Amino acid sequence: MRQPSPLVASFLLAGIAALAAGAAMGAPAPADDVAAFRDLYRELVETNTTLSVGSCTKAAELMAARLRAAGLPASNVEVFVPPGRPSRGSLVATYPGRNRALKPILLLAHIDVVEARRDDWTRDPFKLVEEGGFFYGRGASDDKAMAAVFTDLLIRFQREGYRPGRDVRLALTCGEETPEDFNGVQWLLAERPQLMQARLVLNEGAGGSLDADGRHVTLEIQAGEKVYQDFRLETLNPGGHSSRPVPKNAITELSAGLVRLGAYQFPARLNGTTRAYFEAQAKLASSPQVASDLKAILADPNDAAAAARLWADNPGWNSMLRTTCVTTQVDAGHAPNALPQRARANVNCRILPDEPVENVRAEIRRVLADEGITVTPVGDPGQSCPVPPLTESILAPVRAVSAKLWPGVTVVPTMSTGATDGRFLNAAGVPTYGLSGMFHDTEGSHAHGLNERIRVQSLLDGREFLNQVVRRYAALMD
């Protein structure tokens, strides 16, 4: 883990002092203000931003128009459209603070969404529907909830005449869901790097959990994420007539290797975030056995028996412990009456943040134990990146606001086992944290699936949580 610099250390001390500043809290929003937010959210969800037929540029322009109408100077609100990609635009807006020399707080959300077919959904995916206490629509949770909250927050600042200690910058970007085609954060880091420099970034990647009775149990803050990397495994063979089999068969050779890989577990390792995560889970454990097993892996992450029981109880816990590689696709043979000339498989790996991708490739080759199976990375190499530190200046505002809004809730540090745009910023040295304050029941949000949803109250609660937390962060002075 990267050690905090002297500048970050001074940020820590300043952060504790800033917690006492009552003005940083902000006032609860009036009813007409909530209605305006709901309208903004509706407009964003109902703007199709899929890769196939949608336009992030349109959504970015709509949000830019709202910011300008609220009174933000036009020079502080800009939509960037990459050359040759007219529908992949991103919005960057800056709300000025008292000390313009300080690095800003960056509020990051992606406005592109996963594809959604009307015939598959119960409701029109691009019509915001409120039903049974939930909002339904593609992007209702991932990630237009946070995009709407962050846009609305700058409008609230402007309406109140609020002046934070430092700039608060908003970036609504395109391409998080389809980075193989284009990614707005990568583009901005390359073309407008000064706009992506920040003291800290708040991003998607963590929420909160509700129990069966709707009570708030845990609030997550995400620091660090695993590295996404696909590998193509391939065997080749001269082939021939299926009536004359030979000892080596491309399919069975590859299959044998995949069986060995499927049975293999990468070594378990804890970092600062995952250790804090499992410490919190041990206190929240549903049974004495689970608590005992969690304590066992904290003492020895490679306690195989404890890890196996935890894996059976919660597959996500296994993913938090180690690099995972799993076969996701296979393609083999060319005719039913011919020996296969080629067999291929895609192996998808989610790699611990500080583990080099090449080391994982070498380990896969070792486990396959067959020089006839080639292992080739697919796409751009995954970026290993440091886990941003969860210092007291990061955690204290979260704990203070959550204790006020949801007394008794446990704040749980977590590492994402998926992938967000935070991986690009952390790799560039910009500390990025997942934090939303939006709670879900055990059924979740259906993100990327059918009938995506978010609790209405969770969205409104997250809006107020982020309002108060951002003000506290923005009050921190070097």
Side-chain angles (χ1 to χ4, degrees), residues 234-257 260 331-344 370 372-373:
E234 185 174 42
T235 53
L236 300 175
N237 192 281
H241 202 286
S242 61
S243 67
R244 301 181 61 190
V246 294
K248 277 213 165 188
N249 179 291
I251 293 176
T252 54
E253 182 180 6
L254 179 62
S255 299
R260 289 190 288 273
D331 175 26
H334 61 285
N337 59 352
L339 300 176
Q341 298 170 0
R342 182 183 67 198
R344 285 179 175 172
D370 187 339
I373 304 176

Side-chain angles (χ1 to χ4, degrees), residues 73-246:
S75 59
N76 286 14
V77 181
E78 188 168 1
V79 174
F80 295 94
V81 181
R85 297 183 179 274
S87 67
R88 302 286 89 187
S90 298
L91 166 67
V92 179
T94 302
Y95 188 86
R98 295 190 301 274
N99 189 338
R100 305 301 305 279
L102 297 176
K103 285 186 177 180
I105 305 299
L106 178 60
L107 310 179
L108 175 67
H110 69 86
I111 50 177
D112 63 307
V113 296
V114 170
E115 301 290 337
R117 282 169 29 98
R118 174 66 187 93
D119 292 347
D120 297 334
W121 282 55
T122 303
R123 309 159 192 84
D124 186 339
F126 296 104
K127 181 74 174 177
L128 185 66
V129 176
E130 183 177 351
E131 183 180 303
F134 287 86
F135 284 125
Y136 290 88
R138 176 57 88 217
S141 176
D142 183 16
D143 184 29
K144 290 181 176 178
M146 288 189 71
V149 165
F150 286 155
T151 305
D152 169 76
L153 186 54
L154 265 62
I155 293 172
R156 293 175 75 174
F157 287 175
Q158 182 68 28
R159 185 191 68 241
E160 297 169 15
Y162 168 67
R163 291 301 303 277
R166 62 180 72 233
D167 290 358
V168 177
R169 182 168 293 148
L170 169 70
L172 302 183
T173 61
C174 191
E176 193 272 350
E177 303 291 7
T178 54
E180 68 284 354
D181 175 79
F182 170 79
N183 181 271
V185 171
Q186 280 187 303
W187 187 87
L188 286 165
L189 280 168
E191 301 296 329
R192 300 289 191 279
Q194 73 281 2
L195 294 178
M196 305 306 284
Q197 297 305 308
R199 169 58 80 200
L200 65 92
V201 182
L202 297 184
N203 182 36
E204 64 171 337
S209 62
L210 302 166
D211 67 14
D213 297 317
R215 290 188 293 262
H216 300 82
V217 180
T218 60
L219 172 66
E220 294 183 340
I221 177 169
Q222 178 247 324
E225 55 190 76
K226 296 178 87 173
V227 178
Y228 181 108
Q229 183 64 59
D230 287 309
F231 292 97
R232 182 175 65 248
L233 277 57
E234 185 174 42
T235 53
L236 300 175
N237 192 281
H241 202 286
S242 61
S243 67
R244 301 181 61 190
V246 294

Side-chain angles (χ1 to χ4, degrees), residues 374-433:
T374 60
V375 181
T376 307
V378 177
D380 294 333
Q383 290 181 289
S384 297
C385 55
V387 175
L390 281 172
T391 59
E392 188 62 19
S393 66
I394 299 298
L395 289 170
V398 176
R399 291 185 180 127
V401 177
S402 64
K404 179 186 176 186
L405 297 179
W406 310 295
V409 75
T410 301
V411 175
V412 180
T414 187
M415 177 186 72
S416 173
T417 58
T420 76
D421 280 336
R423 67 191 188 276
F424 303 118
L425 289 161
N426 279 318
V430 185
T432 303
Y433 302 90

